[in-house]
C-alpha cells in the first residue's frame, strides 16, 4: 500500500463547487459572528454532506509538510479542500509522530490549531475542553445516516467500526441498541478531534446499498464528545491510560529530534536530562513501559516526566514560532500540570 508520504495531496473539490459561506436564510437577522440566522425558525439543520474524506485517495504531502506545519487542514477532514498540495496545513490522518509533536507544542489547541475552551458546551459539541483529555466520541443520528435502512445491531456496529477505523487507531467501539447510538474511543485524542469533524453529517450507507443514490435525503451522523464514564472501574482505567500515554510521549521526546536547531542540540538536551533525572533516561523510561504492576503507577516518576516535558517545551517554543493560516504567529501554550 502506497504511503501518503510518497505522493502529493489530491485536490478534493474545485473552488467553484464549494458552497456559500452564508447559510440559507432561516431568520430575520444574520449574525456574522456565529455565521447563522436569528429571530426565526432554524428548522432541521442536519443534512448529509455532499463532501466526504477518502483517506487513501486524498492523503498526501502538502506545502505544510515542507514548512514544518503541525496542524491539520479542517477542510481536508471534511473532504472539501480545494488547494491540495498547495495547502499550508497537513493532509493526512494524524499518526504517532504527529501526535507526539502536537503534545509537546500545546495542550490548548486541537489538531486543527483551534483554541479549546475551559469547559465543554452543554450539548457536548464544539471544539472541546483543554482541562480533560477526551478520546471518546458519541455517535448519534444513526437512523437518519442509514436512511431508515433496517440492519441488525452487529451490522450497525460493524459499519461504525469501518468508517471510523480509517481515521486512526481505535481502542473500543460500543453500539447501544436501546438508545440507537454508539461510542467510539480512539487511542489518541488528536484522532478523536479529527474524526469528529470528518464524520459529522456523513452517511453510513455503502455504495453497495440500494439506498446509496438517495443518501442525500438522510440527515447524517451526529458526532459529539462523549460524557465521562462514571463507572469507578472506567475511571481507574482512564488514569492508567493517561499515565501510559505520558510515558510514551516521554520516550518520543527523548528518542526523536523535536528541536528545529538539529540533532546536536537535541542530544545535548538528552544528556542534560539524563544527568538531572536519571529515571528519565531512554533505557529507564522504556523499562517503565512494562505492565502496571512493574512500577507504572509511581506518582513521583510521573511528576518528574511532566517537569522534563515542560522544560523541553519551553526550549522548543522559543526556537521557532508556528505560523497560522493568516500568516501571523499562533500563541504557544505550555502544557498544563493537569494533563
Amino acid at each position: 500500500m502506497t504511503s501518503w508520504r510518497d505522493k502529493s495531496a489530491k485536490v478534493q473539490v474545485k473552488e467553484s463547487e464549494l458552497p456559500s459561506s452564508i447559510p440559507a436564510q432561516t431568520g430575520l437577522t444574520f449574525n456574522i459572528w456565529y455565521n447563522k440566522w436569528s429571530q426565526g425558525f432554524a428548522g432541521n439543520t442536519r443534512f448529509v454532506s455532499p463532501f466526504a474524506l477518502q483517506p487513501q485517495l486524498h492523503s498526501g504531502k502538502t506545502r505544510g509538510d515542507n514548512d514544518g506545519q503541525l496542524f491539520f487542514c479542517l477542510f481536508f477532514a471534511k473532504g472539501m479542500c480545494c488547494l491540495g498540495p498547495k495547502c499550508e496545513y497537513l493532509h493526512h490522518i494524524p499518526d504517532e509522530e504527529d501526535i507526539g509533536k502536537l503534545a509537546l507544542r500545546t495542550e490548548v489547541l486541537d489538531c486543527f490549531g483551534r483554541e479549546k475552551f475551559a469547559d465543554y458546551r452543554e450539548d457536548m459539541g464544539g471544539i472541546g475542553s483543554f482541562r480533560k483529555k477526551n478520546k471518546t466520541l458519541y455517535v448519534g443520528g444513526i437512523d437518519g445516516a442509514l436512511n431508515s435502512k433496517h440492519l441488525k445491531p452487529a451490522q450497525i456496529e460493524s459499519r461504525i467500526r469501518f468508517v471510523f477505523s480509517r481515521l486512526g487507531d481505535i481502542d473500543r467501539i460500543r453500539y447501544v441498541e436501546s438508545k440507537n447510538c454508539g461510542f467510539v474511543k480512539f487511542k489518541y485524542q488528536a484522532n478523536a478531534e479529527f474524526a469528529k469533524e470528518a464524520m459529522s453529517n456523513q452517511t453510513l450507507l455503502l455504495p453497495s446499498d440500494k439506498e446509496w443514490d438517495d443518501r442525500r435525503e438522510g440527515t447524517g451522523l451526529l458526532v459529539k464528545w462523549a460524557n465521562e464514564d462514571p463507572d469507578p472501574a472506567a475511571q481507574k482505567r482512564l488514569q492508567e491510560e493517561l499515565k501510559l500515554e505520558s510515558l510514551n510521549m516521554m520516550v518520543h521526546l527523548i528518542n526523536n529530534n523535536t528541536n528545529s536547531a538539529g540533532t546536536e542540540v537535541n542530544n545535548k538536551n538528552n544528556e542534560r536530562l539524563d544527568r538531572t533525572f536519571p529515571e528519565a533516561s531512554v533505557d529507564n523510561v522504556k523499562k517503565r513501559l512494562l505492565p502496571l504492576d512493574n512500577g507504572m503507577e509511581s506518582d513521583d516518576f510521573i511528576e518528574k516526566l511532566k517537569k522534563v516535558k515542560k522544560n523541553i517545551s519551553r526550549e522548543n517554543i522559543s526556537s521557532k514560532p508556528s505560523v497560522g493560516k493568516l500568516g501571523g504567529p499562533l500563541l504557544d501554550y505550555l502544557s498544563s500540570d493537569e494533563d
Side-chain angles (χ1 to χ4, degrees), residues 145-249:
L146 287 170
N147 286 38
S148 300
K149 178 182 178 67
H150 178 71
L151 292 176
K152 297 179 180 179
Q155 293 175 310
I156 295 177
E157 182 173 318
S158 177
R159 292 204 178 197
I160 294 175
R161 182 180 300 277
F162 171 73
V163 296
F164 279 90
S165 62
R166 303 176 303 164
L167 306 174
D169 294 336
I170 289 179
D171 188 1
R172 288 189 296 276
I173 288 182
R174 182 189 177 196
Y175 172 67
V176 184
E177 182 180 3
S178 60
K179 302 290 186 180
N180 195 27
C181 67
F183 296 91
V184 180
K185 182 177 182 181
F186 284 88
K187 185 177 179 181
Y188 298 109
Q189 180 172 269
N191 293 109
E193 295 167 351
F194 190 94
K196 179 179 177 297
E197 298 296 340
M199 290 308 303
S200 291
N201 298 317
Q202 294 295 326
T203 183
L204 281 179
L205 292 173
L206 302 177
S208 58
D209 295 325
K210 63 180 181 180
E211 298 87 354
W212 174 255
D213 292 336
D214 299 325
R215 63 189 181 281
R216 295 287 305 280
E217 297 179 5
T219 53
L221 289 175
L222 175 64
V223 185
K224 304 188 294 184
W225 294 108
N227 287 302
E228 197 172 83
D229 192 339
D231 181 36
Q235 293 285 331
K236 182 178 180 181
R237 184 169 59 246
L238 176 61
Q239 293 302 318
E240 293 173 348
E241 290 174 353
L242 291 177
K243 289 181 179 180
L244 178 60
E245 185 174 341
S246 297
L247 291 172
N248 280 322
M249 288 299 103

Side-chain angles (χ1 to χ4, degrees), residues 32-49:
I32 61 174
W33 182 259
Y34 290 100
N35 196 43
K36 65 179 182 180
W37 293 91
S38 60
Q39 299 179 352
F41 176 67
N44 184 11
T45 58
R46 301 266 306 284
F47 62 95
V48 173
S49 173

Side-chain angles (χ1 to χ4, degrees), residues 289-305:
L289 296 179
L290 296 174
L292 294 175
D293 59 357
N294 195 26
M296 175 69 76
E297 295 181 287
S298 172
D299 292 334
D300 292 338
F301 181 69
I302 297 296
E303 290 302 318
K304 287 184 178 181
L305 291 184

Side-chain angles (χ1 to χ4, degrees), residues 22-277:
I22 300 179
Q25 183 172 356
T26 56
L28 300 178
T29 305
F30 183 72
N31 189 317
I32 61 174
W33 182 259
Y34 290 100
N35 196 43
K36 65 179 182 180
W37 293 91
S38 60
Q39 299 179 352
F41 176 67
N44 184 11
T45 58
R46 301 266 306 284
F47 62 95
V48 173
S49 173
F51 310 104
L53 170 64
Q54 300 180 45
Q56 291 296 331
L57 177 63
H58 295 158
S59 297
K61 297 184 69 175
T62 64
R63 182 180 298 172
D65 290 288
N66 297 328
D67 295 341
Q69 177 62 262
L70 293 177
F71 300 112
F72 292 81
C73 177
L74 177 62
F75 298 100
F76 164 74
K78 294 177 178 290
M80 52 188 297
C81 183
C82 62
L83 297 178
K86 298 180 181 179
C87 185
E88 297 178 2
Y89 290 83
L90 304 181
H91 277 213
H92 61 268
I93 306 301
D95 55 27
E96 288 191 354
E97 182 178 351
D98 300 312
I99 292 163
K101 292 178 181 178
L102 287 169
L104 294 175
R105 175 65 69 176
T106 178
E107 295 285 353
V108 298
L109 302 179
D110 70 356
C111 69
F112 302 107
R114 304 176 300 181
E115 289 188 1
K116 299 179 185 179
F117 297 89
D119 300 306
Y120 286 100
R121 282 179 11 186
E122 290 186 4
D123 63 355
M124 296 302 287
I127 299 173
S129 169
F130 59 76
R131 288 181 173 176
K132 295 181 180 179
K133 284 197 173 184
N134 194 344
K135 298 180 282 187
T136 306
L137 299 176
Y138 164 88
V139 182
I142 293 176
D143 189 57
L146 287 170
N147 286 38
S148 300
K149 178 182 178 67
H150 178 71
L151 292 176
K152 297 179 180 179
Q155 293 175 310
I156 295 177
E157 182 173 318
S158 177
R159 292 204 178 197
I160 294 175
R161 182 180 300 277
F162 171 73
V163 296
F164 279 90
S165 62
R166 303 176 303 164
L167 306 174
D169 294 336
I170 289 179
D171 188 1
R172 288 189 296 276
I173 288 182
R174 182 189 177 196
Y175 172 67
V176 184
E177 182 180 3
S178 60
K179 302 290 186 180
N180 195 27
C181 67
F183 296 91
V184 180
K185 182 177 182 181
F186 284 88
K187 185 177 179 181
Y188 298 109
Q189 180 172 269
N191 293 109
E193 295 167 351
F194 190 94
K196 179 179 177 297
E197 298 296 340
M199 290 308 303
S200 291
N201 298 317
Q202 294 295 326
T203 183
L204 281 179
L205 292 173
L206 302 177
S208 58
D209 295 325
K210 63 180 181 180
E211 298 87 354
W212 174 255
D213 292 336
D214 299 325
R215 63 189 181 281
R216 295 287 305 280
E217 297 179 5
T219 53
L221 289 175
L222 175 64
V223 185
K224 304 188 294 184
W225 294 108
N227 287 302
E228 197 172 83
D229 192 339
D231 181 36
Q235 293 285 331
K236 182 178 180 181
R237 184 169 59 246
L238 176 61
Q239 293 302 318
E240 293 173 348
E241 290 174 353
L242 291 177
K243 289 181 179 180
L244 178 60
E245 185 174 341
S246 297
L247 291 172
N248 280 322
M249 288 299 103
M250 194 62 217
V251 171
H252 179 86
L253 170 65
I254 296 175
N255 282 336
N256 294 280
N257 178 19
T258 58
N259 193 303
S260 60
T263 305
E264 182 178 351
V265 173
N266 197 60
N267 289 337
K268 291 181 179 179
N269 285 336
N270 289 342
E271 293 175 1
R272 176 174 55 80
L273 293 177
D274 290 347
R275 292 194 302 269
T276 307
F277 299 102

